Amino acid sequence: MTILDGKKISNDIKNEIAEEVTKMKERGEKVPHLAAIIVGNDGASLTYVNSKVKSCKQVGFESSLYRLPSTVSELELLDKIEELNQNDDIDGFIVQLPLPKQIDTQKVLLAVDPDKDVDGFHPTNFGKMAFDMTSFIPATPFGILELLERYDIPTKGKHTVVIGRSYIVGRPMSILMGRSGFPGNSTVTLTHEFTKNITQITSQADIIIIAVGIPDFLKGEMIKDDAVIIDVGITRVPDEDSPRGYIIKGDVDFENVSKRASYITPVPGGVGPMTVSMLLKNTLLARERHRALKKQQ
């Protein structure tokens, strides 16, 4: 069994991006600029956004953080988004989710300029991805593809089972794993927590990608020997023995599943670190596209 070390691969990618940024500086070019909007004081969101800001510094990007109160109106948030859309200095930006109840999340995601949508959530980018056109791939699926590629895990002709159907992970993964090329060319079954006879399906899978947010959902008896397991789940589970009062658990019963798997991602340290790195990679791609566009004009 091989551990898919997202932390190591993530650092490799950051080093590669940092080298690119150094070359940009040497050529006298503008370095990529990533911005983030965060609404309210959600602890997990703040931690995540701060890690993005720290990563930007690490690779030599410029970064901006816009913090808005949880009482902000939808109109005020949309005005801020439009301001960033029009700001030529900013190559890409994200609106950290979840948003407060008074704000329509879909309306907010639609307001982001698709050319600056480095999270890859805009329907324009999702549609382009489905058509195999150049687009921003959502950061977590992009990170999973990168792990499969860097560990040279065969996907052609394999049966991939995706558990979870969110537009952030499950649905894009089902499209990407079935596309032509590598990683891809696999036969995909998209399932979720309500799928009947799910064990019958997962036990036939060569690759399982799970993102349902239910700790230990995938058990050892649900997989076949030598399956590849990608665990996207990350849930805080109360634990009195932990100094923090909780432990982080994935969607996979790691102890038992790892005994049968050929490759598996740990939680934490698997898919999580990859998400931030691929967001940086999308921002680098955005900068390169904007530069090419300016050249044409």
Side-chain angles (χ1 to χ4, degrees), residues 165-219:
R165 55 190 167 177
S166 76
Y167 65 86
I168 296 171
V169 181
R171 272 183 270 180
M173 275 322 305
S174 67
I175 294 166
L176 293 163
M177 291 302 288
R179 69 179 180 172
S180 180
F182 173 71
N185 279 323
S186 65
T187 302
V188 183
T189 304
L190 179 61
T191 69
H192 45 81
E193 58 188 294
F194 303 114
T195 299
K196 289 181 180 176
N197 307 319
I198 196 162
T199 300
Q200 198 178 329
I201 299 166
T202 56
S203 61
Q204 296 169 16
D206 302 302
I207 301 167
I208 297 174
I209 299 164
I210 179 166
V212 287
I214 302 170
D216 295 342
F217 181 90
L218 189 73
K219 308 290 185 190

Side-chain angles (χ1 to χ4, degrees), residues 38 42-52 236:
I38 184 164
D42 179 75
S45 292
L46 281 167
T47 303
Y48 189 44
V49 167
N50 285 333
S51 78
K52 289 170 184 173
R236 290 183 178 189

Side-chain angles (χ1 to χ4, degrees), residues 88 113 115 287-297:
D88 288 342
D113 180 348
D115 288 334
R287 169 86 295 267
E288 287 169 352
R289 280 188 212 164
H290 293 154
R291 188 172 60 85
L293 198 66
K294 227 171 187 180
K295 236 180 182 179
Q296 285 173 8
Q297 291 168 349

Side-chain angles (χ1 to χ4, degrees), residues 35-160:
I37 299 174
I38 184 164
V39 180
N41 293 300
D42 179 75
S45 292
L46 281 167
T47 303
Y48 189 44
V49 167
N50 285 333
S51 78
K52 289 170 184 173
V53 171
K54 190 179 167 189
S55 295
C56 281
K57 197 175 179 182
Q58 198 181 332
V59 299
F61 282 12
E62 287 180 27
S63 68
S64 300
L65 178 57
Y66 299 91
R67 293 183 65 170
L68 303 175
S70 56
T71 52
V72 73
S73 71
E74 184 175 276
L75 190 61
E76 285 171 314
L77 177 56
L78 291 171
D79 282 346
K80 177 55 74 176
I81 288 168
E82 186 53 26
E83 186 188 308
L84 300 192
N85 283 340
Q86 299 300 327
N87 187 341
D88 288 342
D89 189 52
I90 290 170
D91 296 295
F93 69 94
I94 62 152
V95 181
Q96 185 62 41
L97 304 178
L99 293 167
K101 286 177 184 174
Q102 76 270 20
I103 293 167
D104 182 339
T105 300
Q106 282 193 342
K107 198 183 278 188
V108 165
L109 295 178
L110 278 168
V112 177
D113 180 348
D115 288 334
K116 294 190 176 189
D117 168 43
V118 286
D119 252 339
F121 293 162
H122 195 284
T124 297
N125 283 319
F126 198 97
K128 282 183 174 180
M129 178 193 71
F131 275 95
D132 260 351
M133 295 164 71
T134 302
S135 69
F136 294 118
I137 297 172
T140 301
F142 198 5
I144 293 168
L145 293 179
E146 200 74 16
L147 274 177
L148 292 170
E149 189 173 340
R150 295 202 182 213
Y151 277 89
D152 202 25
I153 294 168
T155 59
K156 186 179 179 181
K158 301 293 182 182
H159 182 196
T160 296

